[in-house]
Amino acid sequence: MSECVTGYIDHIIFRNEDNGYTVMVLKGVKDEDELTCVGTFPVITQGASIEAEGSFIQHPVYGKQFQAVRLTEKMPEDAMAMERYLGSGAIKGIGEALAKRIVKAFGKDTFRIIEEEPERLSEIKGISERKASEIADQMIEKRELRQAFVYLQQYGISNTLAVKIYEKYGSAMYGVMKENPYKLAEDIS
């Protein structure tokens, strides 16, 4: 029987970059102080709010764990979650202190401003116009990557294969999938 847990990624214990196998600690999970979660995930960001689908298992050595088969990243909605996400290292160049200043300045509009009006980030002490642009580019790239994985999952494509497809084609993958999906078999092992 499949269950769902919701929380945020406090830290990553282990990550195999070749296949995406990850062991991480979730916090903010209902009825749990912290929960070890395992599974294969294409992209994972410390500090991200997630919903994981899977089942609880009892590991003989490590105890109770949640084995996730599907992971959906939720965009942070409150100030604390936004600070945690931005300050987690997910966006290069933003540490905890800078994340706090950004969220304090823009509140619940923080992510919209980063993506739609990145020049306004330069109003924050410590952010040049160039750095503001780099931050916006990273946020947009992460959003596009999440959307690509959701799109590919509807066709039953595994996370490992989805990583290869996105790395090969980027946002052009949508056109390839519509025009000639067999091209994937030719180009990707």
Side-chain angles (χ1 to χ4, degrees):
M1 186 172 108
S2 188
E3 298 181 60
C4 279
V5 297
T6 304
Y8 70 91
I9 301 168
D10 184 61
H11 63 278
I12 296 169
I13 297 170
F14 171 79
R15 174 117 173 115
N16 180 329
E17 291 299 335
D18 293 333
N19 64 14
Y21 181 77
T22 307
V23 179
M24 61 189 167
V25 173
L26 297 181
K27 286 201 173 175
V29 178
K30 185 179 174 185
D31 301 328
E32 304 280 342
D33 288 338
E34 58 180 42
L35 176 65
T36 300
C37 181
V38 298
T40 303
F41 315 113
V43 177
I44 209 80
T45 306
Q46 189 170 313
S49 295
I50 62 155
E51 180 178 277
E53 187 180 322
S55 56
F56 286 96
I57 60 170
Q58 188 67 32
H59 189 280
V61 175
Y62 302 111
K64 182 180 178 182
Q65 297 181 339
F66 188 79
Q67 186 161 12
V69 293
R70 180 164 307 154
L71 185 93
T72 307
E73 190 172 337
K74 305 283 187 190
M75 285 312 288
E77 296 173 359
D78 63 29
M80 176 89 70
M82 287 182 199
E83 278 181 36
R84 191 171 44 241
Y85 179 80
L86 290 173
S88 70
I91 306 297
K92 289 182 183 118
I94 299 181
E96 289 180 26
L98 187 53
K100 192 177 289 275
R101 288 197 309 266
I102 292 169
V103 174
K104 185 177 180 186
F106 301 119
K108 64 180 171 63
D109 285 337
T110 298
F111 287 172
R112 183 193 62 75
I113 287 170
I114 291 173
E115 291 181 4
E116 297 174 13
E117 303 175 65
E119 65 281 355
R120 290 193 54 201
L121 286 173
S122 62
E123 297 170 13
I124 308 293
K125 183 181 177 198
I127 301 180
S128 65
E129 286 186 27
R130 190 174 126 241
K131 186 173 183 176
S133 176
E134 290 170 1
I135 290 168
D137 290 345
Q138 288 180 64
M139 285 287 286
I140 290 166
E141 183 180 327
K142 287 189 179 299
R143 184 189 70 219
E144 288 173 355
L145 185 60
R146 279 192 306 274
Q147 290 170 342
F149 282 97
V150 168
Y151 177 79
L152 291 171
Q153 282 177 345
Q154 73 181 338
Y155 294 106
I157 294 173
S158 72
N159 289 337
T160 306
L161 190 53
V163 169
K164 291 179 182 179
I165 292 169
Y166 191 80
E167 285 176 352
K168 173 76 175 168
Y169 300 112
S171 60
M173 67 168 219
Y174 300 104
V176 172
M177 294 283 292
K178 285 181 180 166
E179 293 167 22
N180 184 6
Y182 298 103
K183 185 160 178 46
L184 297 176
E186 294 171 10
D187 293 348
I188 298 168
S189 61

